[in-house]
Structures are given as structure tokens and as C-alpha cells.
Amino acid sequence: IGTQNQGVFMIAGNDVIVRQITTQTGISNNTILSLNEDSQGNLWIGTPDGMNKYNPAQKTVVQYLASQNQAVSAQSVQVACMIETSGKELLAGTKDYRGLFMFNRKKNKFEPVLLYDDKTGKQIVQSFNSIFEDRSGMLWLGTSEAGIIKVKLSKKTFLSITPDVLGSSSTFSLLEDKQGRVWIGTRQGIAIWDREQNSYQILTPFKDHEKGLSGNRIWGMAEDKQGNIWIGTANGLNRYDPVKKQFRHYRSDSADRNSIIDDEIVSLYI
């Protein structure tokens, strides 16, 4: 679990915290914007001060910091989202209009991926909050102001999903569940896209938070083996059962040592 100011917590299956990764153990910032495990078992940690690669076996951290040849990892760059694609390409999206970058493993650096509007041919640079690849190989990029951009990496052209469809122009998190539905976390709740019917269902908080989402802003989502959707919000952690359509909430409790440390849950990985 990535937190707002307490670094990364690794939690065992019995809900016990087994490890905490902070600036004291080598990462560049304790605010965690994104998490992703690559095919080699490394945990990539995106922060407001660049990218970090954590090796769980060796318990070592490598920071990708500012240099003339590693623009994406400058300390001022916010690495808001990342993914390792089915083609083993590691992509990082930035939050400050620096665009999309790909990690060159041979050169050990990030390089820009240029995107072009397929209608006008103009290069597009956006502030990206989220990224994922669906089962068809399409990349979904969540932006701060323009809804969703769908990209085929081989073509580097895109299709937009406008904010009026999603209920918000800001998209913070994306998830495809086992049923092929795409969950889109926004500033105003969640939009769920049904692939078969090409329709959207909207989940928003209820006045009685015990019966719905505990917060509007959906920072992160992940699906567990049982098909539950875990949802990180600005107001606690939610577990949603799509079959029963029931929520369970997890909050910080200073009297409970096994409770979550912070109610601001900014990223999730299962």
C-alpha cells in the first residue's frame, strides 16, 4: 500500500504489516503516487521526486534521479502512473505535462514516447494520472483534464473518451476486472464500462458512507483473487463485492496497531 506521507507498507495475508519502505530505507520521497511490480520481481515506486526501483529479495533501492539523459526521473517530475505491458515495456506517465515515457533497459534510462492526434497529426502532451493495458492490448491513459486517451503503442495515435461520459474530466485510476469490465476512478466516483453492452455504470458515495464509497476521489483500485475490488480513496480504503454489491471500509485507528496507518490511500497493488 502506498500512502500520502508514510511511504510503502507491505502487508501479509493475515493483514499484518511486514515491511515499510521510506526515505530512511532509500526511496526518494515518502509520498507514493504509483506502484508496479515488473516481470523480474522489482517493485517500481513513483513519487513526486522521481522513480525508485526496489528489489524485495536484496532489499535495495535504486533511484532514477535528475541528469541530462534521464529527464523523466528529475526530482521535480511527478511519476504518477506506470505499467509493464504484455510486451515487457515499462511505461511511466507524468503528472506535470511531461507526457509518457518508456524505460530503455539497455541504456538504463527513460525515453519519451511521442503521441499524435490521429485526426490533426499534432503531437499531444498531457498530464497523466493513470495507465493500464486491457486484454486487447489497448493502453488506457487517464488524464487530469481530458478524460481518457486510448492508445495503440505500435501506432502511437489515440481515441478519446470525453469527460461528459465519465462524469468527470479528471481520471485518477484504471482497472480491468476478471469479467472484462473497465473501472475508471475519477474525481466524482467510479465509472464502470461494460465491454459487451458498451455502457457505463456510475458509482458515487452515499450520504450514508457505510452503504457506498467512503470518498469521491478514487486514487487507486485493485482486484483480489476472490473478485473483490479494493478501492483507495481520500477518505479510507474500501473493499467492494460486485456480486453482493456490498462495501466494507477500513480506516486508520490509533488504538488498533493492525489498522491502516493513513486514511489517504493513494495507490494499491495486490
Side-chain angles (χ1 to χ4, degrees):
I1 296 176
T3 69
Q4 181 72 21
N5 51 31
Q6 298 289 332
V8 177
F9 287 88
M10 303 182 75
I11 300 176
N14 55 2
D15 293 338
V16 175
I17 296 171
V18 296
R19 191 174 304 166
Q20 183 180 10
I21 308 168
T22 66
T23 53
Q24 293 184 344
T25 53
I27 63 174
S28 56
N29 194 291
N30 282 334
T31 294
I32 310 304
L33 301 179
S34 53
L35 294 170
N36 193 72
E37 183 182 27
D38 67 20
S39 55
Q40 298 175 356
N42 298 304
L43 181 65
W44 291 83
I45 304 169
T47 78
D49 295 327
M51 183 83 83
N52 303 263
K53 181 173 69 173
Y54 176 73
N55 185 315
Q58 300 178 3
K59 299 181 182 179
T60 57
V61 175
V62 177
Q63 294 184 16
Y64 289 85
L65 300 175
S67 76
Q68 193 171 12
N69 296 322
Q70 290 176 273
V72 71
S73 296
Q75 289 187 323
S76 61
V77 171
Q78 303 182 59
V79 182
C81 54
M82 68 187 87
I83 187 175
E84 186 180 50
T85 70
S86 56
K88 308 302 181 186
E89 302 286 1
L90 181 66
L91 299 172
T94 67
K95 201 176 180 66
D96 48 5
Y97 292 90
R98 293 288 292 277
L100 185 67
F101 290 79
M102 181 183 295
F103 186 61
N104 186 319
R105 298 182 189 276
K106 292 183 179 180
K107 297 181 180 180
N108 195 36
K109 69 175 185 177
F110 286 90
E111 298 175 335
V113 176
L114 304 182
L115 300 176
Y116 297 92
D117 189 318
D118 54 359
K119 294 181 180 179
T120 66
K122 293 183 179 180
Q123 182 182 345
I124 301 297
V125 178
Q126 274 290 340
S127 179
F128 295 115
N129 296 322
S130 52
I131 179 173
F132 96 104
E133 181 184 22
D134 69 19
R135 59 186 60 185
S136 71
M138 181 74 74
L139 291 175
W140 293 57
L141 307 174
T143 73
S144 294
E145 299 177 350
I148 296 289
I149 294 175
K150 295 172 67 176
V151 179
K152 275 289 187 181
L153 197 58
S154 57
K155 297 181 179 180
K156 297 181 182 178
T157 56
F158 63 83
L159 171 68
S160 296
I161 301 177
T162 56
D164 60 324
V165 175
L166 305 174
S168 174
S169 60
S170 298
T171 302
F172 300 124
S173 53
L174 293 159
L175 169 73
E176 183 176 29
D177 66 19
K178 295 181 177 67
Q179 306 300 319
R181 295 170 298 193
V182 176
W183 298 61
I184 304 169
T186 74
R187 188 184 297 273
Q188 299 297 330
I190 299 174
I192 308 172
W193 178 58
D194 187 305
R195 183 185 303 273
E196 295 182 357
Q197 308 208 1
N198 193 29
S199 61
Y200 289 85
Q201 174 191 355
I202 306 297
L203 293 180
T204 57
F206 289 92
K207 290 183 179 180
D208 180 358
H209 283 175
E210 295 305 314
K211 296 181 180 179
L213 288 168
S214 62
N216 280 11
R217 298 190 180 194
I218 311 301
W219 298 131
M221 296 182 290
E223 183 179 21
D224 64 24
K225 293 180 179 179
Q226 290 73 41
N228 297 306
I229 307 299
W230 292 79
I231 304 164
T233 78
N235 191 34
L237 179 64
N238 297 242
R239 185 182 69 185
Y240 180 64
D241 184 332
V243 177
K244 296 181 180 179
K245 298 184 178 181
Q246 293 179 347
F247 285 88
R248 179 178 177 182
H249 300 144
Y250 298 82
R251 297 287 183 83
S252 178
D253 183 351
S254 59
D256 183 358
R257 61 179 299 180
N258 289 322
S259 71
I260 61 176
I261 299 297
D262 197 317
D263 281 336
E264 186 93 10
I265 306 300
V266 296
S267 53
L268 294 168
Y269 179 79
I270 296 177

